[in-house]
Amino acid sequence: MRAVRSVAVHKQASGFSDVASKKVAVRYVNDSCPLVLIDYADLVNEKVDFSDVLNVAYGPGGLGILAVKGIPRFVEDRKRLLPLAHKFANLSVSVKAKYEHPQSQYSFGWSHGKETFDGNPDWRKGSYYNNPLYDIPFEDKELITKFASFCHPNIWPTAEIPEFESAFKALGQTINSAGLLLARHIDQYCKLRCPSYSDNKLYQILKECRTPKARLLHYFPPDYPHPSSLTSDSAVHNKHTLKAGNIKDDSIPTEAELASWCGWHNDHGSLTGLCSAMYMNEKGEEVKNPDPKNGLYIRDRKGVVVRGSIPVDCLAFQLGESQQIHSGGYLSATPHCVHVSETPECAGISRQTFALFMEPMMFEKNERSRGC
């Protein structure tokens, strides 16, 4: 059963408008952040030439990420959903446990402390996973059991947060629609560089996928009390006192210091739609990021680490390893992590964000096109 609202943002069935062709110049979010920026008005135009933009953003020398501005409803959808991450994460442990699903390896519903971070249970962030496009992607019970992490029906906390489901689906579907438009341009870019690349390959993979996965994230405050990792003599830490950090005001933290909220990793799907984070205090009120060093960091293919600051009104798309393979290496995924400074200013401050993993189905062959 598909759970998709009406999306009236495309002029034609193909998803593109018929505005005359133009070549889009490369521009960035700002002078201090080399994050490539494009306008949604250009994204919907099939005849726009994004070759320079995509080469700088996703090519071998790029950051593997770009930002899209002006997506209809995106700002409203983000503002509606992200506070619910804080609201759910602050429910009682017993209530949250009702929405855990070990049969899917915690890939649906609530997951906290089930994944690992530096070899230990990850208590630094909690995630709520679901499929924003299909409540029941498959009816086949055998398939659901065998591939529960992909195919299981959604799990919603409707009793506690009635608005959770509609807000989750709305933002996920807005991101999915924009991602499909971007996929068309990526396909054109790959086809020009590799004639054997299948027409509309990425678009078809993502359009036909019944198992996209969205993740609503709550990064707990750095002073949050959490169960001790692998120690038997103390089950729970008390809130620990945050001290002035060892990172100078004018410096970028080392790579070891950076991976404090989320470790270094590549996304394994095709495209990841990622929202700008929302910071909240213990009362659930939105606040400014208390430390400009907090947030997303990206390492390019040359090993240079950059702070990936996504504007509030923009949606970022990171390239995943699947599309790197399908493109024959013309496009590249990049490692990234999330940092929090353990300073007094960050005490009690949590971080909320939302990601949509647009990826091939579990049976899709993950191989490059011949000749690429």
Side-chain angles (χ1 to χ4, degrees):
M1 178 176 68
R2 192 165 193 184
V4 182
R5 63 178 175 173
S6 175
V7 181
V9 297
H10 309 324
K11 184 172 180 180
Q12 298 176 345
S14 66
F16 288 105
S17 69
D18 55 2
V19 180
S21 176
K22 72 171 185 178
K23 190 178 184 68
V24 175
V26 177
R27 61 191 178 104
Y28 300 94
V29 166
N30 54 52
D31 293 337
S32 62
C33 180
L35 185 63
V36 172
L37 179 66
I38 63 175
D39 291 322
Y40 180 82
D42 290 327
L43 195 65
V44 298
N45 183 358
E46 183 178 12
K47 297 180 181 180
V48 161
D49 181 356
F50 275 112
S51 57
D52 291 345
V53 170
L54 294 178
N55 186 59
V56 171
Y58 293 145
L63 281 179
I65 186 172
L66 60 73
V68 184
K69 184 174 183 177
I71 299 173
R73 296 185 310 274
F74 170 71
V75 172
E76 295 80 7
D77 288 345
R78 173 188 172 275
K79 190 173 183 179
R80 180 184 170 200
L81 177 63
L82 294 194
L84 302 185
H86 183 279
K87 186 173 183 179
F88 184 89
N90 283 277
L91 295 174
S92 69
V93 173
S94 61
V95 168
K96 289 183 289 189
K98 295 192 306 181
Y99 300 102
E100 294 179 344
H101 192 253
Q103 297 90 335
S104 66
Q105 298 181 321
Y106 302 93
S107 294
F108 284 88
W110 177 244
S111 174
H112 184 211
K114 309 303 180 184
E115 301 168 49
T116 59
F117 184 89
D118 288 339
N120 297 317
D122 184 5
W123 298 103
R124 293 175 177 265
K125 56 185 175 293
S127 304
Y128 205 102
Y129 295 99
N130 264 334
N131 181 337
L133 301 188
Y134 299 93
D135 271 323
I136 306 175
F138 299 98
E139 302 283 353
D140 187 328
K141 292 183 179 180
E142 183 178 349
L143 193 66
I144 293 172
T145 300
K146 187 175 182 179
F147 299 103
S149 61
F150 295 98
C151 304
H152 195 275
N154 284 333
I155 301 169
W156 299 111
T158 305
E160 287 76 21
I161 309 178
E163 68 273 27
F164 191 99
E165 177 181 352
S166 61
F168 192 104
K169 288 177 177 177
L171 183 54
Q173 291 166 22
T174 293
I175 295 173
N176 186 72
S177 294
L180 289 175
L181 293 175
L182 178 59
R184 292 272 197 170
H185 290 286
I186 291 174
D187 282 332
Q188 292 173 0
Y189 175 91
C190 292
K191 186 72 174 179
L192 285 173
R193 282 149 185 78
C194 178
S196 62
Y197 180 90
S198 301
D199 292 343
N200 300 315
K201 182 179 181 68
L202 177 59
Y203 176 82
Q204 291 299 332
I205 286 174
L206 302 184
K207 182 71 174 178
E208 295 171 5
C209 179
R210 296 183 66 86
T211 57
K213 186 63 63 70
R215 183 183 191 183
L216 179 62
L217 281 147
H218 173 83
Y219 293 82
F220 288 89
D223 57 332
Y224 175 78
H226 55 271
S228 177
S229 58
L230 303 180
T231 61
S232 57
D233 54 346
S234 73
V236 177
H237 285 308
N238 293 320
K239 273 194 173 183
H240 59 277
T241 302
L242 300 183
K243 301 178 181 179
N246 58 358
I247 301 171
K248 297 178 181 179
D249 290 341
D250 60 349
S251 68
I252 292 179
T254 66
E255 289 201 18
E257 293 168 332
L258 282 174
S260 53
W261 242 344
C262 179
W264 287 101
H265 66 284
N266 284 5
D267 290 349
H268 64 258
S270 301
L271 283 176
T272 301
L274 181 63
C275 298
S276 174
M278 178 182 290
Y279 292 84
M280 305 189 83
N281 62 22
E282 293 175 308
K283 297 179 181 179
E285 301 166 330
E286 184 176 1
V287 297
K288 290 183 179 180
N289 182 352
D291 190 321
K293 293 185 178 65
N294 291 341
L296 176 69
Y297 284 81
I298 307 162
R299 187 197 308 131
D300 69 16
R301 304 295 286 189
K302 296 179 181 178
V304 177
V305 175
V306 175
R307 169 84 163 85
S309 182
I310 306 170
V312 172
D313 60 347
C314 293
L315 171 64
F317 282 101
Q318 289 184 286
L319 195 90
E321 291 176 331
S322 293
Q323 183 56 24
Q324 177 175 322
I325 293 170
H326 291 158
S327 73
Y330 282 103
L331 305 177
S332 297
T334 50
H336 48 281
C337 71
V338 180
H339 174 72
V340 62
S341 297
E342 297 199 6
T343 58
E345 293 78 15
C346 296
I349 304 300
S350 62
R351 180 180 187 265
Q352 346 295 317
T353 191
F354 183 79
L356 175 64
F357 302 102
M358 303 176 70
E359 56 195 15
M361 291 273 281
M362 57 273 191
F363 300 123
E364 185 78 30
K365 288 185 177 181
N366 210 6
E367 59 187 10
R368 70 176 186 175
S369 302
R370 292 184 178 181
C372 291

